Amino acid sequence: MTFLDSDYREIITKAVCGRGRKLTKSDNHVSPSHKPSSILGCWVINHRYHAKKKTSDIVEVHGTYDINIWYSFNDNTKTEVVTETVDYCDEVKLSNKDENCLHDDYEVVVKVIQQPNCLQCKIEKQGNQIAVEIEREFEVKVIGETKVNVRVSPTRQSDQHKKHSRYGEEETRESGKDDFFKGKRR
């Protein structure tokens, strides 16, 4: 008996072997060139990131973003925008893992659920720095090769159709043509 005579086949395919999600809140401190009087606005732009598998159950997401703070100084008579680039590294724990992957050669896919966003921006008590609270969220998927066993039907699909059809093959083909030309619906 050869493997082709078996009722099952092994298919090797790529599948999601692990996934995880993480929400991170971080505090950043920005030092403007002047002592701020008040905060007029804060926004986060230029977000860039990439991910790699660190251990069997942790994925690291490395990235950068720019914090822009519009503030007034000199007793609210002048304004300026200060920009600071922030580097980060988030460790995302895989909550669902499949141990049946064939190799250690994985592909890591990361999706941003929440882009880095300013939650709070305030002047520190010392008055020289601005404290910014940032929130971001990622979902990661680890894709690897795995085996799937499928049952193979012993008869072909076209043979099954012929056995259970009310009409012969020629009669079905001809009646379909007549219905099409006469505009009938089945």
Side-chain angles (χ1 to χ4, degrees), residues 132-176:
V132 184
E133 186 180 6
I134 303 290
E135 175 184 66
R136 61 186 175 271
E137 185 174 12
F138 294 103
E139 178 183 49
V140 296
K141 293 180 182 176
V142 177
I143 299 170
E145 284 190 351
T146 188
K147 288 183 187 178
V148 178
N149 289 321
V150 291
R151 186 163 184 205
V152 179
S153 176
T155 60
R156 295 188 341 222
Q157 183 67 23
S158 59
D159 292 340
Q160 287 281 16
H161 178 69
K162 287 178 191 175
K163 286 180 187 176
H164 298 293
S165 176
R166 291 191 325 189
Y167 307 106
E169 187 176 339
E170 290 300 316
E171 190 176 344
T172 304
R173 202 176 302 146
E174 291 301 319
S175 66

Side-chain angles (χ1 to χ4, degrees), residues 60-106:
E60 278 186 340
V61 180
H62 296 270
T64 63
Y65 52 83
D66 293 336
I67 300 174
N68 293 300
I69 303 170
W70 182 30
Y71 69 100
S72 66
F73 60 96
N74 203 9
D75 289 329
N76 293 323
T77 59
K78 296 184 180 179
T79 66
E80 186 175 85
V81 174
V82 63
T83 301
E84 185 164 311
T85 301
V86 175
D87 295 322
Y88 67 87
C89 178
D90 291 343
E91 290 189 350
V92 182
K93 186 165 175 51
L94 298 177
S95 55
N96 299 336
K97 283 189 339 186
D98 181 5
E99 301 295 337
N100 296 318
C101 285
L102 299 177
H103 308 287
D104 290 337
D105 184 27
Y106 297 105

Side-chain angles (χ1 to χ4, degrees), residues 7-71:
D7 287 347
Y8 290 91
R9 298 284 188 274
E10 276 186 356
I11 297 174
I12 297 176
T13 186
K14 288 192 173 200
V16 175
C17 296
R19 66 179 60 205
R21 189 173 180 153
K22 183 173 184 181
L23 173 68
T24 304
K25 291 183 182 180
S26 61
D27 293 320
N28 300 285
H29 298 282
V30 178
S31 299
S33 55
H34 305 284
K35 184 176 179 182
S37 301
S38 63
I39 304 296
L40 304 173
C42 180
W43 59 96
V44 181
I45 59 171
N46 299 329
H47 183 216
R48 292 182 180 84
Y49 58 91
H50 66 279
K52 67 177 183 178
K53 195 158 189 252
K54 181 179 178 182
T55 64
S56 64
D57 61 344
I58 293 177
V59 171
E60 278 186 340
V61 180
H62 296 270
T64 63
Y65 52 83
D66 293 336
I67 300 174
N68 293 300
I69 303 170
W70 182 30
Y71 69 100

